[in-house]
Amino acid sequence: MPEKLKQARARTEKLRALIHHHDYLYYVLDAPEISDAAYDSLFQELRRLEKEHPELVTPESPTQRVSGAPVAAFGVVQHPVPLLSLGNVFNHDELIAWQERISRLVPGEELDYVCELKYDGLAVALVYENGVFARGATRGDGEQGEDVTPNLRTIKSIPLRLNGDPPQADVPPRFEVRGEVYFPKQEFERLNAERAERGEPLYANPRNTAAGSLRQLDPRVTASRPLNIYVYALGWAEGFAPATHWEVLEWLAALGFRTSSLNRWAGSLDKVEDFYKEWLEKHEDLPYGTDGIVVKVNSLDVQRHLGVVGREPRWSVAYKFPAEQAVTRLLDIGINVGRTGSLNPFAILEPVQVSGVTVKMATLHNEDDIRRKDLRIGDLVVVQRAGEVVPQVLRPVIEARTGSERPFEMPKTCPVCGGEVVRPEGEAMARCTNSTCPAQLLELVSHFVGRAGMDVEGVGYALVQQLIKTGLVTNVADIFFLTREDLLRLERMGEKSAQNVLSSIEASRHRPLHRVIAALGIRHVGSETAEALARYFGVIDKLASASLEELTAVADVGPVVAQSIFTWFQQESNRRVVQKLKEGGVRMESRGIGTGPEALGTQLPWSGLEFVVTGRLESMSRGQAEARIKAMGGKATESLTRRTSYLVVGADPGSKMDRARQLETHTVDEAEFLRLLREAEQQTGAG
Ligand code: IVH
């Protein structure tokens, strides 16, 4: 090896060890020893050396946390030792009953315990091979999880290699640790505040957001989320036989895993109760969500002896914190008007503290829900926050009624525009019938410019609000007539932002027809139906003048949807909007002419055919297969029905095969599917 390379190798190894050490101090122990700037310069030096000598890059190098291309789907991981769930207890008596039950199974044994917090996130299993992080998976159903290794690698407190240089000789060659990945509370609030600012829907709670973040197909997205982990168990280990759980936790910490400093050994059940009481008081102050404590029998021998019933170990139990509730006054019931005119009632509450946040509002779902709970304006009510952002009203305190409370009446006219309100039979929601209602307009225009619609970047809720308030936008088409001068008159709008907005609007003029149709906000017409309509009619005018029969002829469109589309295009105001969109330069046709009645059969080879893909294909991802089916005019669906024309069967197909036999569906293997696909693509000139 040339001298220069030798030196570079020695230096990269040294740098990696240093960075690993400082990562450990910073992310695991929360006790950094060097400045960010000093750390950065180590990192930059390593980056530079690896760039000069790519042959020196190793998978566990700290520069390789975010690496690898997005995947089409996650692989399945079989857990050699299943990940269990936990039984719950809710009070001291139930805790004692649990102890009595297990004590009978190990007579004469003095039990001691380990107390941990029950983190509110999702369980993962991390496999280490020869001291290096090899593979990580979600819990899944406990038996099988998803391989999310590239995403887990982005979590800085997960060691890519174990502590010690070289890693300790007595470490088992292969072992699996388990822990909980979570989304810190404060970062969650911040993320939601940003989403609210942009007019995007809010995430429900940190737990779902952690799961969603970890299940991203692109690891760069996961890397942008502030996920963290507490490790709490050893799944299995080759040639390692610790005696107690406490010993396991200490061992894991020594190897560099992030274990909680709040874990506590308890010599008796009274000590367990003390731990519970302490954290019942203080758990809201922790920077992550917890919903109780976990009690584990310390001796691993006793654990094995006690064993598992169903999916729950006898040797451990979750002692849950009660969901936080508070009593406050229901001052009034307000109404929000949604995009489709739905009137959504919400509770206006006397401000009260629940789980550390001030609650002033709560959801009330719909009229029937309010009746069922017999909520009356002026009632004292019990509100509860169980992880969600928006709390719920559980029930009124009937004993506290004075007689001055009054029942809720859904308004007969829209609180925003005064339009007539109707509640169609069989529906839970009352609706404002005036399609020019300003509240509907705000929701409608936001939808129109949003991701599910024309995707006009940089035009969010707040800007739409301003545009409507200033009268610049009175219908969705007005967007395409905005000028630089119009925009510059708005608050907080500079030359540069105005330019950006105008160029996003310009880009959106060229969106395909199905996006325009989806953007119009016709009830029951989501992106899939919009795609089917665009494919069938090809140009907006044909769709606009289609009869009910013609509409129902489109695959995917039933009588209710057809009626909704028909009525929408009957309305004069809507026709004017379509006309104006055209005048505003919006492209209103598909590339082809459509597969509708005149063109049917001649346009695209697979029109009218429905495909279901099951199992794994070797030559392409499921998404790619579906895209190519659609490009040939076919429909790719999830579920097998009598209408399914072909079932494409990849590797490990699963239960769909049984159903296919029942329905006598025509099945093709991958090779046959590829042949058909090539044939179709050649016909259209796409191949
Ligand atoms: S131990 C013994 N320890 O709770 C089998 N689990 O309800 C359970 N959890 O899937 C694993 N904090 O996601 C354990 N300190 C902790 C935990 C914990 C949270 C979760 C874990 C598990 C679920 C079971």
Side-chain angles (χ1 to χ4, degrees):
M1 185 186 286
E3 191 54 32
K4 181 151 174 276
L5 185 59
K6 223 186 228 162
Q7 276 173 5
R9 191 171 71 173
R11 182 65 187 154
T12 50
E13 276 166 15
K14 177 81 194 151
L15 284 167
R16 278 180 204 141
L18 275 170
I19 293 169
H20 172 77
H21 175 67
H22 290 297
D23 276 348
Y24 173 67
L25 293 175
Y26 187 94
Y27 292 108
V28 177
L29 300 187
D30 201 8
E33 278 175 2
I34 58 172
S35 69
D36 289 358
Y39 178 88
D40 282 346
S41 77
L42 293 175
F43 208 92
Q44 291 316 329
E45 188 186 347
L46 179 60
R47 269 247 161 81
R48 186 172 52 72
L49 278 171
E50 288 183 346
K51 204 166 159 207
E52 282 167 20
H53 307 280
E55 66 275 32
L56 294 180
V57 178
T58 59
E60 70 274 18
S61 172
T63 59
Q64 303 301 302
R65 281 202 178 264
V66 188
S67 62
V71 293
F74 299 114
V76 174
V77 170
Q78 185 78 36
H79 298 300
V81 177
L83 276 76
L84 301 171
S85 30
L86 287 171
N88 294 322
V89 296
F90 293 93
N91 54 50
H92 187 64
D93 289 347
E94 290 179 8
L95 181 69
I96 293 188
W98 168 73
Q99 185 204 35
E100 285 173 356
R101 266 198 315 277
I102 62 174
S103 294
R104 277 197 291 275
L105 297 169
V106 281
E109 188 79 44
E110 277 292 310
L111 295 178
D112 63 332
Y113 308 91
V114 175
C115 303
E116 298 167 14
L117 283 157
K118 188 164 192 299
Y119 317 105
D120 202 7
L122 73 154
V124 295
L126 315 172
V127 175
Y128 283 76
E129 287 175 357
N130 303 317
V132 173
F133 176 45
R135 206 162 34 264
T138 59
R139 173 178 188 276
D141 63 3
E143 306 276 343
Q144 288 188 334
E146 285 175 318
D147 183 341
V148 287
T149 311
N151 294 345
L152 285 165
R153 288 172 62 94
T154 69
I155 300 177
K156 302 273 203 347
S157 51
I158 293 183
L160 295 181
R161 68 181 210 200
L162 302 176
N163 273 356
D165 195 15
Q168 288 103 325
D170 55 348
V171 169
R174 279 162 46 85
F175 65 92
E176 182 204 81
V177 298
R178 293 174 178 181
E180 194 88 347
V181 168
Y182 66 87
F183 203 110
K185 282 198 291 202
Q186 230 182 8
E187 328 272 358
F188 175 77
E189 301 293 343
R190 179 154 24 157
L191 181 71
N192 256 351
E194 283 168 14
R195 290 181 70 83
E197 178 91 353
R198 290 198 297 265
E200 294 168 354
L202 300 190
Y203 291 128
N205 57 48
R207 177 175 8 100
N208 293 357
T209 314
S213 302
L214 198 57
R215 296 186 66 261
Q216 291 288 330
L217 296 171
D218 185 349
R220 280 171 306 188
V221 179
T222 310
S224 74
R225 305 279 168 85
L227 296 178
N228 209 336
I229 189 171
Y230 274 123
V231 160
Y232 52 61
L234 188 61
W236 48 265
E238 289 172 355
F240 177 59
T244 63
H245 180 61
W246 190 254
E247 207 181 297
V248 168
L249 291 175
E250 288 190 324
W251 183 76
L252 291 173
L255 292 182
F257 292 103
R258 187 162 182 262
T259 55
S260 170
S261 59
L262 305 175
N263 294 338
R264 189 179 303 164
W265 179 81
S268 69
L269 216 57
D270 283 344
K271 294 281 184 257
V272 171
E273 187 67 25
D274 289 346
F275 183 83
Y276 175 79
K277 287 219 183 87
E278 183 179 335
W279 288 106
L280 176 60
E281 277 283 299
K282 298 194 297 192
H283 74 106
E284 286 299 340
D285 304 333
L286 292 168
Y288 43 87
T290 53
D291 56 352
I293 67 165
V294 180
V295 189
K296 299 175 180 174
V297 168
N298 193 20
S299 157
L300 297 184
D301 248 354
V302 176
Q303 282 191 8
R304 270 185 293 274
H305 190 85
L306 287 171
V308 175
V309 246
R311 309 212 138 254
E312 294 170 6
R314 284 201 189 84
W315 46 267
S316 179
V317 76
Y319 189 176
K320 299 292 272 282
F321 299 138
E324 289 272 320
Q325 298 184 347
V327 173
T328 190
R329 180 92 45 205
L330 176 60
L331 298 175
D332 204 353
I333 292 181
I335 302 280
N336 262 326
V337 184
R339 164 167 66 85
T340 55
S342 61
L343 268 55
N344 313 309
F346 63 92
I348 302 170
L349 303 165
E350 205 164 85
V352 63
Q353 288 279 117
V354 194
S355 331
V357 296
T358 310
V359 168
K360 290 179 260 188
M361 278 188 280
T363 42
L364 288 173
H365 306 115
N366 56 48
E367 202 177 350
D368 292 346
D369 201 46
I370 298 171
R371 293 237 181 297
R372 194 164 43 242
K373 290 177 178 159
D374 186 23
L375 295 173
R376 302 186 191 173
I377 296 164
D379 265 338
L380 275 183
V381 292
V382 181
V383 292
Q384 169 169 307
R385 212 174 146 256
E388 306 86 358
V389 177
V390 186
Q392 311 195 1
V393 178
L394 292 185
R395 59 173 181 277
V397 183
I398 307 251
E399 313 81 83
R401 284 208 173 133
T402 61
S404 64
E405 300 78 12
R406 62 195 163 85
F408 168 70
E409 297 256 0
M410 190 52 97
K412 302 272 181 296
T413 56
C414 172
V416 178
C417 71
E420 192 198 349
V421 168
V422 295
R423 183 170 158 192
E425 240 190 78
E427 287 197 18
M429 284 304 187
R431 284 175 205 284
C432 164
T433 51
N434 169 16
S435 63
T436 59
C437 170
Q440 286 189 50
L441 185 63
L442 175 59
E443 298 299 322
L444 181 63
V445 178
S446 305
H447 166 79
F448 184 84
V449 297
R451 292 252 179 84
M454 301 292 273
D455 198 9
V456 188
E457 223 178 293
V459 182
Y461 205 77
L463 181 56
V464 172
Q465 242 168 346
Q466 278 200 69
L467 290 169
I468 292 177
K469 211 169 77 190
T470 50
L472 284 168
V473 165
T474 60
N475 60 62
V476 297
D478 284 342
I479 296 279
F480 297 99
F481 293 87
L482 290 171
T483 63
R484 187 176 146 272
E485 290 68 36
D486 288 340
L487 291 172
L488 286 175
R489 284 211 306 272
L490 300 175
E491 286 162 36
R492 292 195 314 234
M493 177 68 71
E495 183 68 49
K496 186 138 193 294
S497 324
Q499 204 47 54
N500 287 343
V501 167
L502 286 175
S503 69
S504 313
I505 293 174
E506 173 54 26
S508 76
R509 287 194 168 94
H510 309 288
R511 299 270 185 264
L513 178 61
H514 66 88
R515 275 190 165 273
V516 184
I517 298 175
L520 293 175
I522 305 170
R523 262 189 94 196
H524 305 300
V525 178
S527 60
E528 296 235 340
T529 308
E531 278 179 40
L533 292 169
R535 238 187 345 259
Y536 191 89
F537 292 102
V539 287
I540 194 97
D541 290 339
K542 287 211 178 119
L543 171 63
S545 58
S547 66
L548 274 174
E549 274 121 59
E550 262 184 288
L551 287 165
T552 22
V554 181
D556 228 21
V557 175
V560 175
V561 183
Q563 185 64 58
S564 165
I565 300 168
F566 186 75
T567 317
W568 196 91
F569 282 105
Q570 286 295 300
Q571 287 209 4
E572 191 45 41
S573 55
N574 292 336
R575 286 177 168 274
R576 271 202 304 273
V577 166
V578 172
Q579 183 55 33
K580 244 186 122 177
L581 283 172
K582 267 193 229 167
E583 288 162 12
V586 178
R587 204 186 70 169
M588 310 283 265
E589 6 187 299
S590 291
R591 207 177 300 265
I593 316 165
T595 60
E598 311 95 287
L600 198 63
T602 58
Q603 255 315 290
L604 288 166
W606 284 0
S607 336
L609 297 185
E610 285 196 23
F611 289 74
V612 175
V613 181
T614 183
R616 199 165 13 84
L617 299 181
E618 303 295 342
S619 56
M620 65 185 96
S621 71
R622 179 179 299 246
Q624 285 165 337
E626 289 177 358
R628 284 171 76 176
I629 292 168
K630 281 190 192 166
M632 290 302 103
K635 203 175 145 197
T637 61
E638 277 294 319
S639 53
L640 212 53
T641 66
R642 295 204 179 276
R643 282 196 311 276
T644 309
S645 331
Y646 288 99
L647 175 67
V648 181
V649 182
D652 307 322
S655 67
K656 287 224 171 78
M657 288 300 284
D658 297 337
R659 180 134 173 86
R661 266 190 287 275
Q662 266 174 22
L663 295 173
E664 300 180 343
T665 314
H666 188 68
T667 60
V668 292
D669 63 8
E670 185 170 357
E672 176 66 5
F673 172 63
L674 284 175
R675 202 185 55 72
L676 291 171
L677 194 57
R678 264 195 299 274
E679 206 175 80
E681 287 173 346
Q682 266 157 17
Q683 273 180 44
T684 61

